[in-house]
Amino acid sequence: MSGPRDWSVAEPRRRGIARRILPAALAFVVVLGGVAYLRGDLQELIGTAPGSPRSAPATHHVYRETGPVDARCDTLPADPDADVRKTLNALSRCLDRMWTATLAEADVDYERPDEVRLVAAPGEAACGVDDYDWAGVYCPDRRVVNVLVEEEQALSTMFTLAHEYAHHVQEISGIADQQGAEVFDEAWSRRLELQADCLAAVTLRGVDSRVLENQLLLAEGETDAADDQAESYRRSHGSGASSAAWIARGKRGGKVASCNTWGAPADEVS
Ligand SMILES: [Zn+2]
């Protein structure tokens, strides 16, 4: 395949226990053009394949030029569940502040998402993915963060918001830009999604410890695919074990560089 192509991933929310307690599935839609495809072995040879430490996404300057993210959010309501929208709006402003300061270290001008849309139903999303059962979605063309707000689910929606913000950062910084040689497939999607999980952990690690504890429990509790939707989610977003591992890395490392999924071996992004 070659030439311009639209890429759309919108996955089902997790089923079973995870769905009952915290629907935490994340969705991402990105439009990319001019993707050139080379054979995998040739990419390995020239070092541009995702997974090569020499690939363009793995060597982006933000990894070298940014330090620990100042992950505090003093303006959050004491009880995050009391008014989930209020909580998410406060967190949104904190995420803007964190990413402005961090990206400035690498001379990247942070621009807020054009809109942070807190929706009550998927049909209210800005990028036309209302036929999917998603918890969050980022529209890169319009730069809109959408989060499905569910009452008394503040912890999981806070993670979703930070994850979609991470997609916004991937977009405006160009971290995951296609350079022409990377294969754009499910493995690419997993690197993108697991990086967003990790970056979400970087920004949430000092906000409210329960958010990441909760997310780690969810991820670690995910079992092998129980049905086609779960399997589809795993293929595009990575396994629960991989997600937990990258969340732990982000929490521990606290930097963008802690989240370089683009240079990680395949078994870490499975
Ligand atoms: Zn995502």
Side-chain angles (χ1 to χ4, degrees):
M1 291 179 288
S2 64
R5 126 168 215 201
D6 289 351
W7 176 254
S8 171
V9 180
E11 285 70 23
R13 292 191 278 169
R14 292 167 180 159
R15 303 292 166 183
I17 279 178
R19 180 176 173 84
R20 283 204 308 279
I21 299 174
L22 288 171
L26 310 159
F28 183 60
V29 177
V30 66
V31 178
L32 294 166
V35 180
Y37 289 84
L38 297 175
R39 288 178 56 83
D41 50 354
L42 177 56
Q43 290 174 31
E44 292 295 341
L45 196 64
I46 62 179
T48 57
S52 165
R54 288 177 291 145
S55 65
T59 55
H60 195 285
H61 66 100
V62 295
Y63 297 120
R64 295 189 304 277
E65 297 172 4
T66 60
V69 173
D70 182 10
R72 287 173 301 146
C73 191
D74 300 335
T75 50
L76 279 182
D79 176 6
D81 279 325
D83 183 340
V84 175
R85 287 173 183 273
K86 187 175 174 186
T87 298
L88 295 176
N89 282 322
L91 179 60
S92 169
R93 287 188 289 273
C94 290
L95 291 167
D96 285 327
R97 177 183 51 71
M98 291 178 207
W99 285 120
T100 298
T102 295
L103 294 183
E105 295 170 17
D107 286 328
V108 174
D109 284 334
Y110 176 79
E111 297 167 33
R112 299 186 58 175
D114 285 355
E115 187 183 354
V116 176
R117 195 175 284 201
L118 305 179
V119 305
E124 298 169 31
C127 41
V129 288
D130 56 332
D131 54 335
Y132 294 97
D133 186 16
W134 49 263
V137 62
Y138 176 67
C139 323
D141 52 341
R142 297 178 59 185
R143 295 190 168 176
V144 177
V145 165
N146 304 270
V147 173
L148 187 66
V149 177
E150 297 182 287
E151 297 309 319
E152 300 179 1
Q153 300 283 358
L155 298 183
S156 65
T157 51
M158 288 169 76
F159 188 86
T160 300
L161 181 69
H163 174 104
E164 301 308 333
Y165 255 82
H167 283 319
H168 178 61
V169 168
Q170 288 169 324
E171 169 71 14
I172 62 176
S173 68
I175 282 182
D177 276 1
Q178 296 287 291
Q179 303 296 316
E182 296 88 350
V183 171
F184 190 58
D185 57 9
E186 286 177 327
W188 186 93
S189 174
R190 288 195 297 276
R191 292 182 191 278
L192 188 81
E193 295 296 342
L194 291 168
Q195 179 172 55
D197 280 350
C198 180
L199 292 174
V202 165
T203 53
L204 291 168
R205 75 192 195 287
V207 169
D208 182 335
S209 58
R210 294 172 301 173
V211 178
L212 295 185
E213 288 165 12
N214 178 69
Q215 200 65 31
L216 282 166
L217 282 175
L218 275 178
E220 289 163 352
E222 214 165 81
T223 50
D224 288 343
D227 55 35
D228 288 349
Q229 283 186 320
E231 174 61 17
S232 162
Y233 182 86
R234 189 198 64 73
R235 284 200 307 266
S236 59
H237 285 66
S239 65
S242 294
S243 175
W246 283 102
I247 290 170
R249 282 192 196 196
K251 183 181 176 192
R252 193 169 57 239
K255 302 195 290 189
V256 177
S258 313
C259 301
N260 194 344
T261 55
W262 303 98
D267 64 349
E268 293 181 9
V269 290
S270 60

mmCIF file of all heavy atoms in Angstrom, residues 17 34 53 64 85 101 127 142 149-150 153 170 179-180 186 198 201 217 227 229 232 259 261 266 268-269:
data_model
loop_
_atom_site.group_PDB
_atom_site.id
_atom_site.type_symbol
_atom_site.label_atom_id
_atom_site.label_comp_id
_atom_site.label_asym_id
_atom_site.label_seq_id
_atom_site.Cartn_x
_atom_site.Cartn_y
_atom_site.Cartn_z
ATOM 1 N N ILE A 17 -15.329 -7.197 34.074
ATOM 2 C CA ILE A 17 -15.131 -6.421 35.290
ATOM 3 C C ILE A 17 -14.708 -5.003 34.964
ATOM 4 O O ILE A 17 -15.237 -4.039 35.507
ATOM 5 C CB ILE A 17 -14.069 -7.106 36.180
ATOM 6 C CG1 ILE A 17 -14.731 -8.239 36.949
ATOM 7 C CG2 ILE A 17 -13.449 -6.100 37.138
ATOM 8 C CD1 ILE A 17 -13.770 -9.007 37.806
ATOM 9 N N GLY A 34 0.754 10.585 2.737
ATOM 10 C CA GLY A 34 2.067 10.391 2.137
ATOM 11 C C GLY A 34 2.911 9.334 2.817
ATOM 12 O O GLY A 34 4.121 9.460 2.931
ATOM 13 N N PRO A 53 16.215 1.924 17.659
ATOM 14 C CA PRO A 53 16.587 3.126 18.424
ATOM 15 C C PRO A 53 17.037 4.267 17.522
ATOM 16 O O PRO A 53 17.119 5.400 17.966
ATOM 17 C CB PRO A 53 17.749 2.624 19.301
ATOM 18 C CG PRO A 53 17.615 1.142 19.326
ATOM 19 C CD PRO A 53 17.000 0.758 18.006
ATOM 20 N N ARG A 64 15.524 14.201 24.486
ATOM 21 C CA ARG A 64 16.799 14.684 25.047
ATOM 22 C C ARG A 64 16.636 15.999 25.784
ATOM 23 O O ARG A 64 17.360 16.279 26.733
ATOM 24 C CB ARG A 64 17.816 14.915 23.908
ATOM 25 C CG ARG A 64 18.244 13.695 23.165
ATOM 26 C CD ARG A 64 19.398 14.033 22.231
ATOM 27 N NE ARG A 64 19.095 15.126 21.296
ATOM 28 C CZ ARG A 64 18.432 14.971 20.143
ATOM 29 N NH1 ARG A 64 18.002 13.775 19.793
ATOM 30 N NH2 ARG A 64 18.206 15.996 19.344
ATOM 31 N N ARG A 85 -17.191 16.718 35.746
ATOM 32 C CA ARG A 85 -16.844 17.740 34.743
ATOM 33 C C ARG A 85 -15.936 18.814 35.328
ATOM 34 O O ARG A 85 -14.978 19.256 34.690
ATOM 35 C CB ARG A 85 -18.109 18.375 34.175
ATOM 36 C CG ARG A 85 -18.846 17.453 33.235
ATOM 37 C CD ARG A 85 -20.191 18.003 32.807
ATOM 38 N NE ARG A 85 -20.854 17.039 31.961
ATOM 39 C CZ ARG A 85 -20.676 16.960 30.635
ATOM 40 N NH1 ARG A 85 -19.905 17.815 30.030
ATOM 41 N NH2 ARG A 85 -21.292 16.034 29.931
ATOM 42 N N ALA A 101 5.097 24.038 29.865
ATOM 43 C CA ALA A 101 6.420 24.173 30.485
ATOM 44 C C ALA A 101 7.395 23.120 29.954
ATOM 45 O O ALA A 101 8.557 23.417 29.661
ATOM 46 C CB ALA A 101 6.281 24.061 32.000
ATOM 47 N N CYS A 127 -15.204 14.190 15.993
ATOM 48 C CA CYS A 127 -14.599 13.601 14.793
ATOM 49 C C CYS A 127 -15.387 12.442 14.216
ATOM 50 O O CYS A 127 -14.835 11.585 13.540
ATOM 51 C CB CYS A 127 -13.140 13.235 15.034
ATOM 52 S SG CYS A 127 -12.744 12.488 16.608
ATOM 53 N N ARG A 142 -8.777 18.340 13.788
ATOM 54 C CA ARG A 142 -9.410 19.494 14.442
ATOM 55 C C ARG A 142 -8.819 19.782 15.815
ATOM 56 O O ARG A 142 -9.203 20.737 16.473
ATOM 57 C CB ARG A 142 -10.920 19.249 14.559
ATOM 58 C CG ARG A 142 -11.585 19.125 13.193
ATOM 59 C CD ARG A 142 -13.062 18.845 13.332
ATOM 60 N NE ARG A 142 -13.735 19.901 14.082
ATOM 61 C CZ ARG A 142 -15.027 19.857 14.430
ATOM 62 N NH1 ARG A 142 -15.743 18.811 14.107
ATOM 63 N NH2 ARG A 142 -15.573 20.840 15.090
ATOM 64 N N VAL A 149 -17.922 11.446 29.582
ATOM 65 C CA VAL A 149 -18.016 11.689 31.026
ATOM 66 C C VAL A 149 -19.056 10.767 31.640
ATOM 67 O O VAL A 149 -20.208 10.739 31.206
ATOM 68 C CB VAL A 149 -18.391 13.156 31.313
ATOM 69 C CG1 VAL A 149 -18.570 13.370 32.813
ATOM 70 C CG2 VAL A 149 -17.303 14.070 30.779
ATOM 71 N N GLU A 150 -18.613 10.003 32.599
ATOM 72 C CA GLU A 150 -19.535 9.130 33.319
ATOM 73 C C GLU A 150 -19.446 9.471 34.795
ATOM 74 O O GLU A 150 -18.358 9.509 35.373
ATOM 75 C CB GLU A 150 -19.192 7.669 33.048
ATOM 76 C CG GLU A 150 -19.365 7.344 31.573
ATOM 77 C CD GLU A 150 -19.092 5.899 31.238
ATOM 78 O OE1 GLU A 150 -17.931 5.508 31.249
ATOM 79 O OE2 GLU A 150 -20.049 5.172 30.979
ATOM 80 N N GLN A 153 -17.121 8.280 37.946
ATOM 81 C CA GLN A 153 -16.016 7.547 37.346
ATOM 82 C C GLN A 153 -14.831 8.494 37.162
ATOM 83 O O GLN A 153 -14.133 8.442 36.160
ATOM 84 C CB GLN A 153 -16.419 6.976 35.976
ATOM 85 C CG GLN A 153 -17.583 6.027 35.998
ATOM 86 C CD GLN A 153 -17.182 4.657 36.516
ATOM 87 O OE1 GLN A 153 -16.020 4.415 36.831
ATOM 88 N NE2 GLN A 153 -18.146 3.760 36.627
ATOM 89 N N GLN A 170 1.635 14.271 21.116
ATOM 90 C CA GLN A 170 2.263 13.531 20.015
ATOM 91 C C GLN A 170 2.038 14.259 18.693
ATOM 92 O O GLN A 170 2.927 14.331 17.842
ATOM 93 C CB GLN A 170 1.676 12.111 19.928
ATOM 94 C CG GLN A 170 2.108 11.188 21.055
ATOM 95 C CD GLN A 170 1.303 9.889 21.075
ATOM 96 O OE1 GLN A 170 0.101 9.886 20.769
ATOM 97 N NE2 GLN A 170 1.937 8.794 21.450
ATOM 98 N N GLN A 179 7.938 9.493 8.816
ATOM 99 C CA GLN A 179 9.070 10.043 8.067
ATOM 100 C C GLN A 179 9.158 9.432 6.676
ATOM 101 O O GLN A 179 10.063 9.726 5.928
ATOM 102 C CB GLN A 179 10.379 9.770 8.823
ATOM 103 C CG GLN A 179 10.369 10.329 10.237
ATOM 104 C CD GLN A 179 10.259 11.840 10.260
ATOM 105 O OE1 GLN A 179 10.924 12.522 9.495
ATOM 106 N NE2 GLN A 179 9.424 12.365 11.141
ATOM 107 N N GLY A 180 8.250 8.579 6.375
ATOM 108 C CA GLY A 180 8.245 8.029 5.031
ATOM 109 C C GLY A 180 8.607 6.569 4.965
ATOM 110 O O GLY A 180 8.320 5.893 3.999
ATOM 111 N N GLU A 186 -0.720 -2.112 12.896
ATOM 112 C CA GLU A 186 -1.128 -2.284 14.289
ATOM 113 C C GLU A 186 0.041 -2.153 15.258
ATOM 114 O O GLU A 186 -0.122 -1.667 16.375
ATOM 115 C CB GLU A 186 -1.827 -3.628 14.463
ATOM 116 C CG GLU A 186 -3.229 -3.615 13.864
ATOM 117 C CD GLU A 186 -3.929 -4.948 13.964
ATOM 118 O OE1 GLU A 186 -3.236 -5.977 13.891
ATOM 119 O OE2 GLU A 186 -5.161 -4.948 14.107
ATOM 120 N N CYS A 198 1.831 5.887 28.825
ATOM 121 C CA CYS A 198 3.013 6.245 29.621
ATOM 122 C C CYS A 198 3.048 7.750 29.892
ATOM 123 O O CYS A 198 3.298 8.179 31.020
ATOM 124 C CB CYS A 198 4.255 5.789 28.859
ATOM 125 S SG CYS A 198 5.812 6.139 29.700
ATOM 126 N N ALA A 201 0.699 8.729 32.485
ATOM 127 C CA ALA A 201 1.220 8.425 33.826
ATOM 128 C C ALA A 201 2.238 9.473 34.269
ATOM 129 O O ALA A 201 2.267 9.863 35.438
ATOM 130 C CB ALA A 201 1.854 7.034 33.833
ATOM 131 N N LEU A 217 -4.365 -1.418 38.227
ATOM 132 C CA LEU A 217 -5.193 -2.573 38.584
ATOM 133 C C LEU A 217 -6.016 -3.035 37.389
ATOM 134 O O LEU A 217 -6.134 -4.227 37.115
ATOM 135 C CB LEU A 217 -6.131 -2.225 39.742
ATOM 136 C CG LEU A 217 -5.502 -2.205 41.136
ATOM 137 C CD1 LEU A 217 -6.520 -1.720 42.156
ATOM 138 C CD2 LEU A 217 -5.006 -3.605 41.509
ATOM 139 N N ASP A 227 -13.058 -11.940 23.601
ATOM 140 C CA ASP A 227 -13.908 -11.905 22.419
ATOM 141 C C ASP A 227 -13.213 -11.067 21.342
ATOM 142 O O ASP A 227 -12.106 -10.571 21.537
ATOM 143 C CB ASP A 227 -15.283 -11.335 22.757
ATOM 144 C CG ASP A 227 -15.175 -9.962 23.408
ATOM 145 O OD1 ASP A 227 -14.264 -9.192 23.040
ATOM 146 O OD2 ASP A 227 -16.001 -9.657 24.272
ATOM 147 N N GLN A 229 -13.832 -8.119 20.127
ATOM 148 C CA GLN A 229 -13.602 -6.718 20.445
ATOM 149 C C GLN A 229 -12.378 -6.554 21.341
ATOM 150 O O GLN A 229 -11.562 -5.665 21.145
ATOM 151 C CB GLN A 229 -14.832 -6.129 21.145
ATOM 152 C CG GLN A 229 -15.965 -5.816 20.175
ATOM 153 C CD GLN A 229 -17.096 -5.096 20.878
ATOM 154 O OE1 GLN A 229 -17.435 -5.417 22.004
ATOM 155 N NE2 GLN A 229 -17.671 -4.121 20.208
ATOM 156 N N SER A 232 -9.326 -7.139 19.270
ATOM 157 C CA SER A 232 -9.062 -5.980 18.415
ATOM 158 C C SER A 232 -8.425 -4.855 19.227
ATOM 159 O O SER A 232 -7.483 -4.188 18.784
ATOM 160 C CB SER A 232 -10.386 -5.517 17.795
ATOM 161 O OG SER A 232 -10.271 -4.206 17.307
ATOM 162 N N CYS A 259 9.167 7.379 28.123
ATOM 163 C CA CYS A 259 8.056 6.846 27.330
ATOM 164 C C CYS A 259 8.405 6.641 25.863
ATOM 165 O O CYS A 259 7.551 6.766 24.990
ATOM 166 C CB CYS A 259 6.864 7.790 27.443
ATOM 167 S SG CYS A 259 6.296 8.039 29.135
ATOM 168 N N THR A 261 8.441 4.559 23.416
ATOM 169 C CA THR A 261 8.007 3.258 22.885
ATOM 170 C C THR A 261 8.542 3.008 21.486
ATOM 171 O O THR A 261 8.586 1.870 21.032
ATOM 172 C CB THR A 261 6.469 3.194 22.812
ATOM 173 O OG1 THR A 261 5.999 4.314 22.049
ATOM 174 C CG2 THR A 261 5.843 3.225 24.205
ATOM 175 N N ALA A 266 10.071 -5.252 20.216
ATOM 176 C CA ALA A 266 8.685 -5.630 19.920
ATOM 177 C C ALA A 266 7.974 -6.244 21.127
ATOM 178 O O ALA A 266 6.769 -6.037 21.318
ATOM 179 C CB ALA A 266 8.652 -6.594 18.736
ATOM 180 N N GLU A 268 8.055 -5.479 24.116
ATOM 181 C CA GLU A 268 7.606 -4.482 25.106
ATOM 182 C C GLU A 268 6.399 -3.687 24.600
ATOM 183 O O GLU A 268 5.835 -2.884 25.331
ATOM 184 C CB GLU A 268 8.751 -3.525 25.468
ATOM 185 C CG GLU A 268 9.864 -4.225 26.218
ATOM 186 C CD GLU A 268 10.994 -3.292 26.614
ATOM 187 O OE1 GLU A 268 10.847 -2.062 26.455
ATOM 188 O OE2 GLU A 268 12.032 -3.802 27.052
ATOM 189 N N VAL A 269 6.070 -3.881 23.363
ATOM 190 C CA VAL A 269 4.909 -3.181 22.802
ATOM 191 C C VAL A 269 3.948 -4.186 22.184
ATOM 192 O O VAL A 269 3.305 -3.917 21.165
ATOM 193 C CB VAL A 269 5.341 -2.103 21.769
ATOM 194 C CG1 VAL A 269 6.037 -0.951 22.457
ATOM 195 C CG2 VAL A 269 6.233 -2.693 20.692
#
